[in-house]
Amino acid sequence: MDAICFTLNGRAVSYSGSATDRLLDVLRGEYHLTSVKCGCKEGECGACAVLINGTLYNSCCVAVGAVAGDSVVTLEGFRETERFAVLEKAFGALSAVQCGFCTPGMILASEALLSRCPHPTEEEIREGLSGNLCRCTGYNAIVNAVALAAKEGDGLW
């Protein structure tokens, strides 16, 4: 069996396991990327969200073979960017983080949203984050943090 080659957080990697293994399991088990959380295993909670070629996906629903030749970004890779710094500052300033379990997925969902809509309305933010569940914040702080990041990071997205 040929190795599955893809770019992970900016570096070329290859995986020699089964092409049907869940990307979530490969990222956590093989590459030790713990920002990718196993929440529901059904694509409902967004805790395992990653960016594949810039588009948000729930990695629990993606077979690793499907990312051959693609670029996969987890929070570990995204946190090295200026965009992350803006989102981190906004989330912190507005107390949009409590237990932290959903935060990696929320940050990547925010990045995906702002990449396609740099100046979103509140409704667009809520829609952009709708695939991510949070049991702690009540969402308003997160929505406000994304709005603040859009304002503070004007020109980055």
Side-chain angles (χ1 to χ4, degrees):
M1 176 190 328
D2 291 339
I4 299 159
C5 299
F6 58 102
T7 302
L8 178 58
N9 294 329
R11 73 180 175 96
V13 297
S14 63
Y15 176 70
S16 48
S18 172
T20 61
D21 288 347
R22 287 185 314 171
L23 181 59
L24 164 66
D25 298 328
V26 172
L27 294 173
R28 288 186 64 83
E30 185 77 15
Y31 300 105
H32 311 289
L33 299 170
T34 57
S35 73
V36 185
K37 308 287 188 223
C38 183
C40 68
K41 299 182 186 177
E42 298 176 349
E44 295 294 326
C45 73
C48 66
V50 297
L51 297 170
I52 301 173
N53 298 328
T55 301
L56 191 69
Y57 286 91
N58 289 326
S59 63
C60 70
C61 295
V62 177
V64 70
V67 300
D70 290 340
S71 171
V72 177
V73 175
T74 67
L75 187 67
E76 287 86 353
F78 182 62
R79 73 178 174 211
E80 303 300 322
T81 67
E82 191 177 353
R83 289 175 176 189
F84 172 78
V86 171
L87 283 163
E88 178 184 40
K89 184 177 178 184
F91 271 61
L94 296 178
S95 300
V97 176
Q98 287 188 22
C99 83
F101 191 81
C102 73
T103 305
M106 287 288 187
I107 293 286
L108 291 178
S110 300
E111 163 63 11
L113 168 66
L114 294 172
S115 289
R116 65 177 191 277
C117 182
H119 303 287
T121 64
E122 180 180 337
E123 183 178 321
E124 290 168 326
I125 294 170
R126 290 185 184 281
E127 176 66 27
L129 300 178
S130 65
N132 296 76
L133 299 180
C134 176
R135 295 175 188 228
C136 300
T137 67
Y139 298 99
N140 289 332
I142 296 170
V143 170
N144 292 337
V146 175
L148 178 61
K151 179 182 173 189
E152 297 294 319
D154 191 28
L156 286 178
W157 287 277

